[in-house]
Amino acid sequence: KGKKPLTEAEQILLTAAKGYLKGVMNGKTTIPTKTWKEEYTKLTAERKTLNQRYLALKEEVKEAEKIRKSVYSILRQEQQNNSPAENRIWSDNRQGGGIVNICHRRPCRTLKPFKISPICRRYR
């Protein structure tokens, strides 16, 4: 009474669900909620521990990145202090990149970056 007939698509889905449950249940008549809850709590605890490990590793990576940037900054400063004033290579894009020539004391855009040339092409 009061039930509307199932469509063909709904009947196919119902049949598939019955077949799936029959295979999963292995002849049992009740749903194993207790084992599912145990598995859920176990997986939740495992997820929490993995998340804590992830956050700890994320912090370690941040610290390592800070150290790497500091080392490169120190090496760049030493390289700039040890290189001659006529042709100084600047690898940092924030400082303009390219070559600083003694003729105009700023990055030379006419030369190819990281190529040392004693004479700037602007003044040829």
Side-chain angles (χ1 to χ4, degrees):
K1 277 187 194 179
K3 290 185 179 180
K4 63 180 186 177
L6 297 175
T7 64
E8 186 178 343
E10 291 173 335
Q11 287 177 350
I12 292 171
L13 289 174
L14 182 64
T15 307
K18 282 182 182 179
Y20 173 77
L21 285 176
K22 188 175 184 180
V24 170
M25 296 298 285
N26 294 327
K28 298 176 186 173
T29 56
T30 60
I31 297 175
T33 56
K34 184 177 179 181
T35 56
W36 287 354
K37 286 180 183 180
E38 290 172 0
E39 184 180 4
Y40 175 78
T41 55
K42 177 185 153 195
L43 291 173
T44 303
E46 184 179 351
R47 183 185 59 85
K48 285 181 182 180
T49 57
L50 289 174
N51 193 31
Q52 289 173 351
R53 281 183 51 202
Y54 165 75
L55 293 175
L57 289 172
K58 188 175 175 181
E59 288 298 318
E60 285 183 31
V61 168
K62 277 185 184 180
E63 291 175 16
E65 192 64 26
K66 284 181 185 178
I67 292 169
R68 184 188 66 81
K69 286 181 181 180
S70 299
V71 167
Y72 280 128
S73 174
I74 291 168
L75 290 174
R76 194 178 318 114
Q77 287 175 356
E78 287 179 2
Q79 183 183 12
Q80 288 176 356
N81 291 339
N82 293 335
S83 65
E86 292 86 23
N87 295 312
R88 184 175 290 158
I89 297 175
W90 286 359
S91 61
D92 191 359
N93 288 334
R94 289 175 286 153
Q95 295 176 347
I99 299 172
V100 174
N101 287 298
I102 198 151
C103 56
H104 48 80
R105 300 269 185 215
R106 58 181 189 261
C108 179
R109 306 254 182 238
T110 60
L111 295 173
K112 292 181 180 176
F114 308 109
K115 183 176 180 183
I116 298 175
S117 175
I119 301 172
C120 178
R121 291 183 190 158
R122 280 189 205 168
Y123 298 100
R124 281 189 186 174

